[in-house]
Amino acid sequence: MERARKVANRAILKRLVNESKQSRNGEMSSRSPVSYTPSRYVSSLSPFGSKNHSRSDSLGARNVSNNVGFSVGSQIRSISVEALKSSDTFPRRHNSATPEEQTKMAESCGFDSLDALIDATVPKAIRIDSMKFPKFDGGLTESQMIEHMKDLESKNKIFKSFIGMGYYNTHVPPVILRNIMENPAWYTQYTPYQAEISQGRLESLLNFQTMITDLTGLPMSNASLLDEGTAAAEAMAMCNNIVKGKKKTFIIANNCHPQTIDICKTRADGFDLKVVTADLKDIDYSSGDVCGVLVQYPGTEGEILDYGEFVKNAHAQGVKVVMATDLLALIMLKPPGEFGADIVVGSAQRFGVPMGYGGPHAAFLATSQEYKRMMPGRIIGVSVDSSGKPALRMAMQTREQHIRRDKATSNICTAQALLANMAAMYAVYHGPEGLKTIAQRVHGLAGAFAVGLKKLGNIEVQGLPFFDTVKVTCADAHAIADAAYKSEINLRVVDAKTITVSFDETTTLDDLDKLFKVFAGGKPVSFTAASLAPEVENAIPSGLLRHSSYLTHQIFNMYHTEHELLRYLHKLQSKDLSLCHSMIPLGSCTMKLNATTEMMPVTWPGFTDIHPFAPSEQAQGYQANIPLPRTP
C-alpha cells in the first residue's frame, strides 16, 4: 500500500511538472496567439475535454447560435446546451459498453451495427413504428428519480395497522437492513445455483430451512416460496400429485385468510381441481374424491383450535391435511407436526421483513420425508466438496420449470431467497429466547386489550383462545372503524358487527390506550393499558402450548449482539461471488441489474410500512406507481 502511494505521488508530480513546462512553452511560442492547457478538472462532457486541442484557432469562428458563449477579449468559448444538462443519467452509469464497443460486438456477430442486429432478430411484423410515453418519455436522471420517489412516498399515509390477516409490522434489525437488504454483496447474487461460488448464502438458506423445520415440527422444508397464498396453492398441487390426480376435490376451511382462498381457487383451474370452501364442522369427505384439506392455525379471525381429532378423521378418509400457520405464534403454540399435519405452509414476513404493501415476502413449505420429492422449490442440502470437506449445495435441482420442465415439481420460479435470508438472520439475531420474549409480549398485549374491552362493556370479546388477534362483536363495527380512522388507526371490519384487532412486535402500551379511547366511543376510560398488566393471563390452553424445543442449533445461539452478527454476515458474504466482484453468470436475474437509485426507495418507511389491505386513499403513492388495467 505504501509503495502504491509513492508511485502515485511520483506520477502526479511528474504530470504537474510537464504541465508547467507546456504552459511556459506555450507562452513563448509565436505560432499561436492563444494557447490552452486542458485542465484535469474540466468535465468530460465539455467540448474542452476533447483530445484534439489544436482547434483553438477556430473556436471564435464557430457557429454559436445553439450554444452559450463566454467572451474573453476576442476569443469566444462556447458550450453546448447538452453539456449544461444534468449528467447523472442512467445509461452513462449503468450501460458500460461504449458505442464503439457495441459496434465491435455486433460485428463479431456478423452485423455492421447494433441496429442491424436488432433488425435481423426482431420480426418487423411485431414492431411498432414508435413508442412515446405520456409521462417521463425523456427518462429521469438518478437525482430526478429520487425526487420523484420521494414525492410518491409523501402521498402514502402511514396509519397504525391492526388489520392482521397474515401481514404484520415488524422491527427490521438495523444490522440486517444495512448489511443484507441494502448490501449488494447480498442482494445482487442471492440465487445459489452455482454451489462453488455460493457457500455463504447457501448456509443462510440452510439456516432458514432449519428454522422452519424446528418451528413447524416437520423434518423437511424448502428454502422459501413466493408468499403464503401461492405456498398454499403449491401444497394443494402436492396433494393432487400424492394421489396421482385420482381425486379432484380440494377443501378449504373458511377460517383461512381470504386471499389464500382466492389464490387457491385461481390456481386450481390449471390443475383441473375443484375447490370447496366450508366451515370446519361441515367438512365432508364422503364423496371419496377429496385429495386434501387446508386449515388455518391460528385462524384468520384469531381463534386457536385443537386440530388433533380433525387430522385423524381426515387421514382415516385418505385425505392429506395442509395447515397454514404463523411462525411467531408457533413459538408458543403446539407445532402442526405434532397434530399430524402432512404439509405446513405460511409466511416468514413478520420475522424482520416489512409489509411493503403486500410483498415481496418469503413463504415456506414443510412436509415429511415421504413427500420430499414432490416438494416445490429449492432445497439446500449438506454434501462434501472435491476435497472431502463439508459443503452445501442445492439438492434435487430439477425442481423448477425453467430448469427442466418435464421433471419440475413446480410451475413457478419458487423462491424469495433474499427475504428468506433476512428472516433467517432475524431468528439468528434474536435466538430462541429472544423470539420467545417477542411472542409472549405480543400475546400479552392482545390479552391486555381483551381485558380492557371487557371493562368498557357493551362489547363482546371472542371466547375462543387467541394468540395475537382479538375478535370483537359490537353494535356498529363501521362506526368504530371510522373513529379509529380519525386517530390514524386501521382495523379489520369482518362484517357489520364484527371487528378483529391484531397485535405485533411494534405495538406499544400507548397504542392500546388509543384503542381503548376508540372503542369507548367518547366515554372516559378509567384505566390505562399498563394498569391492566396484573390481570392479564395466558389465553392459550395448556394442551395447545408448545413444550418441544426449537432453534437448538448453535448458529441460533451465538450471534445476539450487533457486532457478532455483523461479523457472521461478512464471513458468509466473503464466500460468495456477487456483483461486487464481477457480472454474475447465473441467478438473480433482476436484482443484479437494479441500480442503487432504484433500490434505495425500497426501504423507505413510506413504502415499507403499509398493510396491503389498507384503504386505497392511504396508498396513493403506490397507486400512482402501479399500472392499472386500461378500460376498453
Side-chain angles (χ1 to χ4, degrees):
M1 183 63 73
E2 186 60 31
R3 182 176 178 277
R5 288 197 190 98
K6 290 179 179 179
V7 172
N9 288 337
R10 282 199 296 268
I12 293 170
L13 181 60
K14 184 177 180 180
R15 186 175 66 191
L16 291 174
V17 170
N18 288 337
E19 288 180 356
S20 177
K21 289 179 179 179
Q22 290 173 8
S23 177
R24 286 198 299 270
N25 291 338
E27 291 172 1
M28 296 170 63
S29 174
S30 59
R31 288 179 295 173
S32 174
V34 181
S35 177
Y36 297 101
T37 300
S39 168
R40 64 192 178 102
Y41 298 109
V42 174
S43 167
S44 61
L45 297 178
S46 165
F48 305 121
S50 171
K51 293 180 180 179
N52 182 6
H53 302 292
S54 63
R55 299 172 57 204
S56 56
D57 287 338
S58 64
L59 285 174
R62 183 181 297 168
N63 183 342
V64 295
S65 60
N66 291 321
N67 297 307
V68 178
F70 298 91
S71 231
V72 182
S74 62
Q75 178 64 43
I76 298 178
R77 299 182 182 183
S78 60
I79 184 168
S80 68
V81 173
E82 286 299 315
L84 296 179
K85 293 182 178 179
S86 296
S87 62
D88 61 330
T89 57
F90 271 73
R92 191 169 73 91
R93 292 301 190 191
H94 303 286
N95 299 336
S96 56
T98 65
E100 292 78 13
E101 289 170 333
Q102 292 178 27
T103 300
K104 188 174 181 180
M105 287 188 286
E107 289 174 347
S108 69
C109 296
F111 297 91
D112 295 334
S113 65
L114 184 59
D115 287 342
L117 173 61
I118 293 173
D119 283 340
T121 306
V122 182
K124 286 184 170 59
I126 67 171
R127 301 187 209 171
I128 57 176
D129 294 333
S130 63
M131 182 169 65
K132 204 163 180 64
F133 294 102
K135 196 174 182 182
F136 310 131
D137 188 62
L140 297 177
T141 65
E142 293 194 322
S143 56
Q144 289 170 339
M145 171 72 173
I146 290 295
E147 289 303 313
H148 173 62
M149 295 309 295
K150 285 180 179 177
D151 179 59
L152 291 183
E153 183 193 24
S154 70
K155 294 178 180 178
N156 292 329
K157 299 177 182 178
I158 309 301
F159 282 25
K160 188 67 179 180
S161 177
F162 294 92
I163 298 172
M165 299 175 67
Y167 300 93
Y168 306 88
N169 240 326
T170 179
H171 289 310
V172 185
V175 64
I176 294 175
L177 177 66
R178 184 74 173 263
N179 295 285
I180 294 185
M181 183 62 196
E182 297 177 343
N183 181 0
W186 280 90
Y187 73 68
T188 62
Q189 42 50 294
Y190 57 88
T191 306
Y193 285 128
Q194 295 176 276
E196 65 275 19
I197 58 172
S198 309
Q199 288 299 297
R201 72 200 99 139
L202 283 168
E203 180 172 328
S204 179
L205 292 173
L206 183 64
N207 293 343
F208 178 85
Q209 290 179 185
T210 304
M211 173 184 77
I212 299 304
T213 56
D214 278 8
L215 292 179
T216 60
L218 285 168
M220 288 290 298
S221 169
N222 60 21
S224 81
L225 290 174
L226 295 181
D227 55 40
E228 183 170 335
T230 54
E234 293 286 349
M236 175 180 68
M238 273 185 69
C239 292
N240 183 44
N241 292 336
I242 289 169
V243 297
K244 303 185 185 313
K246 295 178 181 178
K247 298 179 179 181
K248 306 303 290 184
T249 301
F250 187 76
I251 299 176
I252 303 179
N254 58 15
N255 73 334
C256 293
H257 296 314
Q259 69 271 20
T260 299
I261 297 173
D262 289 343
I263 291 170
C264 286
K265 286 181 177 179
T266 300
R267 291 280 297 279
D269 290 341
F271 299 112
D272 193 28
L273 288 172
K274 176 185 177 183
V275 170
V276 175
T277 57
D279 191 277
L280 280 167
K281 66 179 184 302
D282 298 326
I283 289 177
D284 182 11
Y285 307 120
S286 60
S287 67
D289 192 45
V290 180
C291 63
V293 59
L294 171 65
V295 297
Q296 193 91 36
Y297 173 69
T300 188
E301 295 178 6
E303 74 281 1
I304 298 173
L305 303 176
D306 187 337
Y307 285 106
E309 288 301 316
F310 179 90
V311 172
K312 289 179 182 178
N313 292 336
H315 286 170
Q317 300 294 324
V319 176
K320 303 304 176 185
V321 177
V322 181
M323 193 171 289
T325 191
D326 178 286
L327 291 181
L328 191 65
L330 293 185
I331 300 295
M332 296 186 67
L333 298 181
K334 182 178 180 178
E338 294 180 15
F339 286 120
D342 300 287
I343 306 170
V344 180
V345 298
S347 172
Q349 178 268 313
R350 72 190 307 178
F351 272 30
V353 181
M355 291 185 290
Y357 203 44
H361 303 130
F364 60 85
L365 185 149
T367 188
S368 64
Q369 291 280 353
E370 183 180 357
Y371 305 126
K372 64 183 179 183
R373 294 196 175 275
M374 297 182 183
M375 288 177 67
R378 303 163 184 161
I379 300 173
I380 310 305
V382 180
S383 183
V384 293
D385 64 14
S386 58
S387 302
K389 298 177 181 178
L392 304 173
R393 62 185 291 269
M394 283 177 60
M396 299 177 285
Q397 284 198 66
T398 61
R399 313 181 64 73
E400 293 186 39
Q401 188 181 56
H402 67 284
I403 299 175
R404 280 187 65 185
R405 182 170 300 190
D406 57 323
K407 295 289 183 72
T409 55
S410 176
N411 67 344
I412 53 174
C413 181
T414 48
Q416 288 289 8
L418 178 65
L419 295 315
N421 287 332
M422 290 181 68
M425 291 304 170
Y426 181 91
V428 169
Y429 192 44
H430 288 293
E433 289 304 314
L435 291 175
K436 185 176 181 180
T437 298
I438 294 170
Q440 289 177 336
R441 178 176 173 275
V442 170
H443 180 59
L445 289 167
F449 179 65
V451 170
L453 289 185
K454 292 173 183 177
K455 287 182 177 294
L456 291 177
N458 300 321
I459 295 173
E460 181 182 345
V461 177
Q462 173 179 256
L464 292 172
F466 56 83
F467 168 64
D468 62 5
T469 299
V470 180
K471 182 179 178 180
V472 178
T473 303
C474 54
D476 189 341
H478 293 286
I480 291 177
D482 290 344
Y485 189 92
K486 292 175 182 177
S487 297
E488 298 190 347
I489 292 172
N490 289 330
L491 304 175
R492 179 188 178 189
V493 176
V494 178
D495 56 44
K497 294 188 176 182
T498 308
I499 288 176
T500 61
V501 185
S502 296
F503 298 88
D504 58 48
E505 179 187 10
T506 68
T507 308
T508 65
L509 290 172
D510 287 341
D511 292 327
L512 257 66
D513 289 332
K514 292 176 183 177
L515 284 171
F516 290 142
K517 290 180 181 178
V518 167
F519 279 84
K523 298 178 181 178
V525 179
S526 60
F527 54 86
T528 65
S531 69
L532 299 176
E535 303 177 48
V536 178
E537 297 179 355
N538 191 325
I540 304 171
S542 58
L544 294 177
L545 282 172
R546 181 178 198 117
H547 299 290
S548 54
S549 59
Y550 55 92
L551 304 185
T552 56
H553 191 280
Q554 62 177 1
I555 210 72
F556 298 103
N557 296 278
M558 295 172 64
Y559 306 113
H560 299 161
T561 62
E562 181 172 309
H563 62 275
E564 289 170 332
L565 185 63
L566 174 64
R567 291 166 188 164
Y568 179 54
L569 293 174
H570 193 272
K571 172 187 171 185
L572 295 187
Q573 78 181 47
S574 66
K575 297 180 179 182
D576 291 3
L577 183 76
S578 73
L579 199 64
C580 300
H581 307 93
S582 71
M583 179 47 70
I584 311 153
L586 279 176
S588 309
C589 44
T590 53
M591 295 296 283
K592 68 185 176 191
L593 302 178
N594 283 347
T596 304
T597 306
E598 295 169 311
M599 290 295 294
M600 286 168 61
V602 173
T603 56
W604 292 352
F607 292 115
T608 62
D609 295 346
I610 300 184
H611 193 285
F613 302 132
S616 58
E617 62 267 21
Q618 294 174 23
Q620 289 303 297
Y622 266 113
Q623 297 298 322
N625 204 38
I626 298 173
L628 298 176
R630 295 181 179 179
T631 54

